[in-house]
Structure formats: C-alpha cells, structure tokens
Amino acid sequence: MDGNGRWAKTQGKPRVFGHKNGVTSVREVTEAAAEIGVEFLTLYAFSTENWSRPTIEVNALMTLLVETVKRELSTLNKNNIRLQAIGDLSRLPEKTRLALLEGIEMTKNNSRMTLVLALNYSSRWEIVEAAKKIAAQVLNGELAIDQIDNGVFSNNLTTKNIPDPELLIRTSGEHRISNYLLWQAAYSELYFTNVLWPDFRKDDFYLAILDFQNRERRFGKTSEQLSEIT
Ligand code: IPE
Ligand code: MG
C-alpha cells in the first residue's frame, strides 16, 4: 500500500491525511477481495524500516491502526473475515498490539477470507528468525541438517499457515519489492500500477485481477507442457 504521502501532498495536506484516506482503500479492497472469492489478502501496513520515519507519523500510523481495527471489527465479523498479522508484533506499542490481538481473537472463527496485516514486518527479519529457529531445532536434536528443505523453511516463517501469494500488487509507481514476502513471492505474479494507494479502489483491484487472469503461470515449465496437463 504505497503512495499515501504523495497523495496527501497533491491535496496540500500533511502525510497523515493520506494515511487516513488510505483506510478507505483498505476497506474497499478487502470487501472486493472477499466478494470475488480471494481466500487470503495480505496488506503491507508497516515495515521494520518505517520506524525511521518522523515520530509524529509513526505515532499517527499506530493510532490509526488501533482505531481502524476497533471500528472495523463488527464489519469483519459480519463479512465472515478472519484477521491475522505477520511481523514482530512484540515491538509494537502496547495499545496497538492489544487492539490487534483482540481483533485476531474476536475473528478467529471466521472462514470466508483471511485478512493478514504485515506489521513491523520485513522479509529479511523473518528469514533470519527462521534460520535461528531451525538452528535451535538442530542443536537440540529435533531436526537433522539433511531434513532442512523448502517445507521446513516455510514452516518456520511467520506465514506458516498462509499460502504463498499468487499475485503481488504494488501501488504508486514504485517498482520494488521492498523487503516484502521475498521467500513467499518466489512465483508470485507481480503487478505494478501508478495509482496512489488512497485512490486504489475496487475498480483498480479488478484491473489487477484481470491482468493476473491473463498471465501464464509456468512455474519453470514450458508453455507446451502446461497445455498437455490442461
Ligand atoms: C503508505 O504510503 C505506506 C505506509 C507505510 C503506511 P507512504 O507513506 O509510503 O507514501 P509515499 O510513498 O510517501 O507517497
Ligand atoms: Mg512509500
């Protein structure tokens, strides 16, 4: 979800105004995704690098998160959407963490779609943590080095129970992955749009889905092999 700050600037408003307006896009995209049958939607809300932004902006984002989770809770339940989070939640301000954990707890039995918030998340952090966990398992004899494979590695990531993304969307015209789901996005289709996040609404989401539907996902095989299977 990129471009909130630039969007605010075009309106002559402070960056936080952009973040507030970005919440409407979160609501619309979540709704659109659930409606078309997406099972997992992960939103990159705050990276481990975002702490280096001005304190006033960081605080505003943390407060916005608390307010949004609280306000949207009943809608999430009404729409049968389960909330989850990935990232180092232990470093979030207490209020933010508690609101988030409450949201996760209150929606845990919902089954239509899982909405995952990536908060204080970065792929390199996650991969290093996985390496540490695996090393500890080897050290205490639970795991042999030869047993370490893609599956073991995936199971030690914070996305353990979340399938790899099929489509990765980045808004605001930046063509970077920015430390996001690096392991999980190995075969994801990438979609870039110039639309700034607060302007990214249902129709923009549908355009991304339509584009995805026209991709040929080969997973390393040839085009001919794929038509033999189908
Ligand atoms: C939102 O957009 C991303 C968040 C960290 C919430 P930005 O705040 O990165 O907006 P730009 O890139 O400065 O326009
Ligand atoms: Mg940005």
Side-chain angles (χ1 to χ4, degrees), residues 1-7 15 19 45-46 50 53 57 61:
M1 303 189 285
D2 200 7
N4 292 354
R6 277 163 284 167
W7 185 87
R15 296 179 55 82
H19 297 315
F46 197 86
N50 285 147
R53 290 191 176 195
E57 183 172 346
L61 280 167

Side-chain angles (χ1 to χ4, degrees), residues 10 83 170:
T10 65
L83 185 67
R170 181 166 188 157

Side-chain angles (χ1 to χ4, degrees), residues 3-229:
N4 292 354
R6 277 163 284 167
W7 185 87
K9 208 169 182 180
T10 65
Q11 318 267 315
K13 296 272 171 57
R15 296 179 55 82
V16 173
F17 184 72
H19 297 315
K20 286 190 175 151
N21 279 272
V23 175
T24 312
S25 301
V26 170
R27 198 180 297 124
E28 279 216 9
V29 169
T30 303
E31 200 178 286
E35 281 165 3
I36 64 170
V38 168
E39 288 177 44
F40 288 84
L41 174 70
T42 306
L43 301 174
Y44 202 177
F46 197 86
S47 75
T48 54
E49 289 80 14
N50 285 147
W51 295 110
S52 52
R53 290 191 176 195
T55 317
I56 191 167
E57 183 172 346
V58 171
N59 291 345
L61 280 167
M62 291 301 148
T63 307
L64 191 61
L65 196 86
V66 176
E67 287 169 5
T68 307
V69 169
K70 288 193 170 163
R71 197 182 50 231
E72 300 298 323
L73 209 54
S74 58
T75 311
L76 289 176
N77 277 327
K78 197 177 78 205
N79 292 330
N80 196 12
I81 296 170
R82 179 170 70 135
L83 185 67
Q84 293 257 284
I86 55 170
D88 186 1
L89 306 185
S90 70
R91 279 197 55 214
L92 293 176
E94 174 106 346
K95 257 192 184 167
T96 309
R97 196 178 60 252
L98 291 180
L100 191 68
L101 294 178
E102 194 192 348
I104 292 171
E105 175 63 26
M106 305 274 280
T107 60
K108 68 175 184 206
N109 295 321
N110 295 342
S111 57
R112 185 180 178 202
M113 183 178 85
T114 302
L115 172 64
V116 186
L117 296 181
L119 276 170
N120 193 20
Y121 173 86
S122 81
S123 269
R124 287 182 173 179
W125 163 79
E126 176 183 46
I127 288 169
V128 169
E129 286 304 307
K132 286 194 225 166
K133 281 194 240 167
I134 293 168
Q137 289 162 45
V138 171
L139 208 60
N140 69 23
E142 271 173 60
L143 192 71
I145 288 180
D146 284 347
Q147 287 176 301
I148 303 171
D149 58 11
N150 286 345
V152 167
F153 210 89
S154 292
N155 280 330
N156 282 280
L157 296 170
T158 57
T159 49
K160 184 171 140 188
N161 297 311
I162 301 167
D164 289 343
E166 293 178 285
L167 170 64
L168 197 150
I169 302 171
R170 181 166 188 157
T171 58
S172 88
E174 306 292 357
H175 299 111
R176 285 191 293 279
I177 308 288
S178 298
N179 220 345
Y180 188 54
L181 301 176
L182 296 179
W183 169 277
Q184 298 87 339
Y187 279 101
S188 298
E189 294 297 327
L190 307 182
Y191 179 85
F192 299 100
T193 169
N194 289 332
V195 177
L196 303 174
W197 178 253
D199 285 331
F200 192 87
R201 298 299 167 86
K202 280 194 177 183
D203 282 350
D204 303 285
F205 182 70
Y206 297 146
L207 284 179
I209 297 289
L210 282 173
D211 193 279
F212 170 79
Q213 286 174 327
N214 287 318
R215 308 273 179 101
E216 183 183 64
R217 308 192 72 205
R218 290 193 290 274
F219 300 99
K221 294 184 175 175
T222 67
S223 199
E224 289 70 27
Q225 283 177 303
L226 292 181
S227 43
E228 279 162 23
I229 301 163

